[in-house]
Amino acid sequence: MIKKFIRRILGTKQKTGDHTQPVILTAKEHGIDPKLVSSNAIRVTSSLQDAGFKAFLVGGAVRDLLLGVKPKDFDIATNATPEQVKRLFRRAFIIGKRFQIVHVMFGQDLLEVTTFRGSSSDGAPKDEHGRVLRDNTFGEQHEDALRRDFTINAMYYDPASQIVLDYHGGIADIRNKTLRIIGVPEERYREDPVRLLRVVRFAARLNFTIAPDTRAPIAVMAPLINNVPAARVFDEMLKLLMSGHALACLQQLRKEGLHHGLLPLLDVVLEQPLGEKFVRLALASTDERVREGKPVSPGFLFASLLWHQVVEKWNAYQAAGEYPIPALHLAADDVLNTQTDKLALQRKIASDMRDIWAMQPRFDRRVGKTPYKLLEHLRLRAGYDFLLLRCASGEIDSEIGEWWTAFIAGDGAEREELLTKKPVATNEGPAKKRPRRRRKPATAAVGKPE
Ligand code: ATP
Ligand code: MG
């Protein structure tokens, strides 16, 4: 009944290969649990519909609903222009250059509302490699669907009528667990090379198979990522690392040949045997935190990913005669400078990373007042968690981590007792392969409690 009615409104039935008419699925057919939809998302779609516009949930939210997962955010697609959307809500802001979108806020909750995009980006300004620079042409819903990246991300759900509109066989691909790009893969990657990273993220996170023709051009086209602005690559990398499946994503990146040459960060992370265990542990603990809904700090994440690169340089500077502490700062500078250029590490993140690294040798000083000073450090928790990862990966003796665990938890007397106990082993750098330090005059604060 309802299908017939909707078809009457939308036009004729979908024929095979015709992507202008959607396949329509009713609640009984798609099985979405309406309780998984946020009330604010419904507020937005119904306000738009009450004002006479079309409005649907779209993209990742519909995909997750179909998979029975509660979406972490809700994107909304409409035929209202950004100005028309803005007028309907008290706290709504038009943002974005490349694509204009409206942010609608309810308290802390943010909903992204996008106007249906026009089908053709032919007239849009592009760079010399074919990457679309700006495009704000609006269009019909079927054109909007064509512009989306994957079939499973191109479905629309109306919470009021509870129907799903599927223009590109997304439902079938959800059921077959297949990730398939819409259109000609080479063209779609060229238009926006970030899609190469998105393939990997979704395949790893959803545990879907990449369709053969979606997969085939990835390795060849990988270098195109180099001409994407660093800030966009960084955003996508952050999504990947904070997806709760970071480890799986990085393994998939390696499998697809996407880590090589294009992101210096990944070259380092994945091809360094010394650091592999450390990175694996760091990502596993990040994934666990994300899945438990705990906050994850990008600074900690990137500090972990790049730690062994820092260690390598730290050793080299010490071998060249630097004292440990200045050597560590020089190593941190080197690593941060290289990565900031390529990856647009934001200043705040870079400064968090430096803090975490710089704290590490301070954990070695377990005499006098020094450990008490460290307890007051604003980033103690992050530095300490980092220390524990170093212990767990075998980089340093686990005794030091246990000592700090006891010291942090201890009361006054217990702390004093710990301070009088002579530490069994101390570590200032990696336990293995530590170069012989050229001793400088005794005035230097080498900082080893011996
Ligand atoms: P997540 O659950 O990680 O947020 P998502 O699918 O919602 O996944 P977003 O980055 O939030 O991903 O994008 C929302 C939707 O916008 C996508 O589902 C897709 O339809 C469309 N989209 C996003 N980025 C692109 C892109 N680079 N090219 C084409 N379509 C895109
Ligand atoms: Mg999303």
Side-chain angles (χ1 to χ4, degrees):
M1 216 11 227
I2 184 162
K3 265 209 220 181
K4 261 197 205 142
F5 173 70
I6 293 158
R7 265 191 205 114
R8 233 187 17 248
I9 298 178
L10 289 168
T12 53
K13 209 176 160 191
Q14 187 185 44
K15 298 176 206 89
T16 323
D18 173 9
H19 297 297
T20 62
Q21 297 301 326
V23 167
I24 301 159
L25 292 108
T26 60
K28 221 167 92 197
E29 290 165 316
H30 59 64
I32 286 179
D33 176 0
K35 289 200 287 295
L36 294 178
V37 181
S38 95
S39 53
N40 286 334
I42 297 173
R43 264 165 93 177
V44 175
T45 50
S46 54
S47 298
L48 282 160
Q49 289 167 353
D50 291 347
F53 299 109
K54 290 184 184 172
F56 297 85
L57 304 185
V58 71
V62 183
R63 177 196 70 220
D64 290 348
L65 287 169
L66 286 165
L67 292 168
V69 177
K70 190 173 172 56
K72 60 175 170 42
D73 50 40
F74 289 87
D75 295 326
I76 288 144
T78 178
N79 61 349
T81 62
E83 272 76 21
Q84 287 169 326
V85 176
K86 186 174 155 58
R87 260 177 258 139
L88 286 176
F89 302 95
R90 206 166 53 84
R91 291 176 63 215
F93 313 93
I94 298 179
I95 60 145
K97 277 194 210 124
R98 191 166 168 271
F99 293 125
Q100 270 195 348
I101 58 177
V102 186
H103 276 177
V104 178
M105 313 276 307
F106 296 110
Q108 290 293 303
D109 206 5
L110 173 107
L111 294 119
E112 275 190 17
V113 184
T114 47
T115 305
F116 295 149
R117 304 280 154 202
S119 64
S120 171
S121 59
D122 293 352
K126 297 193 181 109
D127 72 4
E128 74 270 27
H129 305 280
R131 189 173 67 84
V132 175
L133 297 173
R134 224 173 320 104
D135 191 2
N136 269 314
T137 49
F138 303 134
E140 299 294 323
Q141 186 171 29
H142 68 87
E143 296 174 297
D144 184 81
L146 196 63
R147 296 281 301 270
R148 295 189 174 267
D149 46 8
F150 305 105
T151 59
I152 58 165
N153 282 350
M155 289 179 277
Y156 302 79
Y157 176 60
D158 172 13
S161 65
Q162 293 191 28
I163 56 151
V164 166
L165 303 184
D166 177 11
Y167 287 89
H168 292 278
I171 285 278
D173 283 339
I174 288 253
R175 290 184 181 148
N176 299 328
K177 293 172 143 283
T178 303
L179 191 65
R180 190 188 315 278
I181 204 159
I182 295 170
V184 180
E186 285 84 351
E187 282 173 17
R188 302 305 309 284
Y189 294 135
R190 198 172 289 286
E191 270 171 14
D192 183 7
V194 158
R195 290 175 187 146
L196 295 160
L197 296 177
R198 292 176 64 85
V199 175
V200 167
R201 174 159 67 94
F202 291 123
R205 180 175 140 200
L206 304 171
N207 198 15
F208 274 31
T209 309
I210 306 172
D213 53 347
T214 296
R215 184 171 186 194
I218 295 179
V220 192
M221 302 195 85
L224 286 180
I225 301 257
N226 282 322
N227 75 59
V228 176
R232 252 198 106 213
V233 176
F234 179 78
D235 284 350
E236 202 55 43
M237 278 302 296
L238 205 56
K239 281 191 186 181
L240 191 145
L241 293 169
M242 297 202 159
S243 64
H245 300 266
L247 199 53
C249 284
L250 288 201
Q251 279 156 353
Q252 183 98 26
L253 277 175
R254 182 182 223 169
K255 201 166 124 199
E256 302 305 331
L258 268 173
H259 68 295
H260 222 83
L262 60 104
L263 295 174
L265 173 79
L266 294 178
D267 272 359
V268 173
V269 172
L270 299 175
E271 275 167 20
Q272 204 184 42
L274 195 76
E276 220 196 310
K277 185 159 182 213
F278 181 85
V279 165
R280 228 176 327 112
L281 286 170
L283 293 183
S285 98
T286 304
D287 285 347
E288 201 180 303
R289 286 184 69 88
V290 172
R291 290 181 205 188
E292 287 170 359
K294 292 186 186 158
V296 175
S297 121
F300 188 90
L301 198 52
F302 283 103
S304 311
L305 290 178
L306 293 171
W307 172 240
H308 274 269
Q309 197 183 21
V310 173
V311 166
E312 205 173 273
K313 288 181 192 280
W314 186 14
N315 284 336
Y317 276 116
Q318 290 184 76
E322 278 297 344
Y323 293 118
I325 308 280
L328 176 59
H329 283 278
L330 288 169
D333 285 346
D334 282 2
V335 171
L336 285 174
N337 287 341
T338 332
Q339 298 297 331
T340 315
D341 281 358
K342 277 275 189 180
L343 207 63
L345 276 176
Q346 292 143 16
R347 211 181 293 243
K348 166 81 174 73
I349 296 180
S351 108
D352 285 354
M353 292 163 72
R354 190 187 289 279
D355 278 355
I356 290 169
W357 292 336
M359 225 185 290
Q360 297 311 306
R362 294 181 63 186
F363 286 111
D364 284 321
R365 302 186 182 183
R366 289 180 277 161
V367 284
K369 297 260 170 285
T370 335
Y372 288 103
K373 280 210 196 102
L374 199 50
L375 285 185
E376 288 159 24
H377 198 294
L378 273 177
R379 305 229 174 286
L380 172 72
R381 186 75 218 180
Y384 163 74
D385 284 347
F386 200 85
L387 179 80
L388 293 187
L389 277 178
R390 295 174 65 209
C391 293
S393 68
E395 178 202 329
I396 54 173
D397 200 311
S398 58
E399 180 274 334
I400 186 168
E402 286 153 18
W403 190 94
W404 275 97
T405 304
F407 190 74
I408 290 170
D411 59 20
E414 285 162 346
R415 284 176 178 168
E416 279 309 307
E417 202 198 321
L418 280 163
L419 283 170
T420 56
K421 257 204 263 167
K422 195 174 156 66
V424 180
T426 56
N427 301 277
E428 240 162 29
K432 284 165 239 144
K433 274 178 57 183
R434 196 164 88 217
R436 287 173 71 86
R437 217 182 305 124
R438 223 185 293 156
R439 283 264 176 203
K440 290 215 172 162
T443 47
V446 174
K448 279 191 60 163
E450 282 167 340

